[in-house]
Amino acid sequence: MKQEEVPQDGNGLTGGKFSQLFYAVNKEGEYVQVSSIGWEPENVAMAQAWDEIHQKTEATLQAVKDGKLSPIAYFMEKELMTPEILAGYVGKFQWQVKRHLKPSVFKTLPDTLLQKYAAVFKISVQELKQFGR
């Protein structure tokens, strides 16, 4: 791709605030770094992906409010984590994290463990305990 052909469609999610680095060929035939604020197909795909993420997060929030999932499920979804990833951060097995997603189990968790979850989500233990009430 030539340097002047690097897409600059700034109508994406970030409104041109962020840019990506591309390598393109300049007039002398050398590869140079060119920043791009995006291109339409990528922006459309990213918008669709974020819409889906927001829908999943809202569904998880509703499940927390309905008492079907613990607050850990919401914050895990919000931070785009899986039980496996979260387990790595809190030093637990994946099956244990999945178990902690159950409201009945969540209520019995000690504050020391809740502190680990809260630290990962960058909230307080109180916020974690009272979320969705």
Side-chain angles (χ1 to χ4, degrees), residues 21 26 29 45 48 53 61 65-66 72 82-83 87 104-106 109 117 119-120 123-124 130:
L21 184 63
N26 65 13
Q48 290 173 344
I53 290 168
L61 173 61
K65 288 181 178 178
D66 293 344
I72 292 172
T82 62
S104 60
V105 175
F106 176 77
L109 295 178
Y117 281 114
V120 170
I123 59 174
S124 70
Q130 296 179 352

Side-chain angles (χ1 to χ4, degrees), residues 96-114:
Q96 291 173 306
V97 170
K98 287 181 179 177
R99 190 167 179 270
H100 298 162
L101 301 179
K102 297 176 182 177
S104 60
V105 175
F106 176 77
K107 290 176 185 172
T108 65
L109 295 178
D111 280 356
T112 53
L113 181 53
L114 291 176

Side-chain angles (χ1 to χ4, degrees), residues 33-98:
Q33 296 178 348
V34 179
S35 72
S36 169
I37 55 176
W39 60 306
E40 187 179 352
E42 181 183 48
N43 293 337
V44 170
M46 290 298 291
Q48 290 173 344
W50 279 109
D51 283 346
E52 188 173 330
I53 290 168
H54 290 304
Q55 288 173 2
K56 283 182 72 175
T57 304
E58 287 301 313
T60 304
L61 173 61
Q62 191 58 50
V64 171
K65 288 181 178 178
D66 293 344
K68 297 176 182 172
L69 289 172
S70 76
I72 292 172
Y74 171 77
F75 288 105
M76 184 177 72
E77 194 76 44
K78 184 179 172 213
E79 298 296 329
L80 306 177
M81 294 179 161
T82 62
E84 183 179 6
I85 292 171
L86 184 55
Y89 278 111
V90 296
K92 294 289 179 187
F93 292 108
Q94 183 178 345
W95 67 266
Q96 291 173 306
V97 170
K98 287 181 179 177

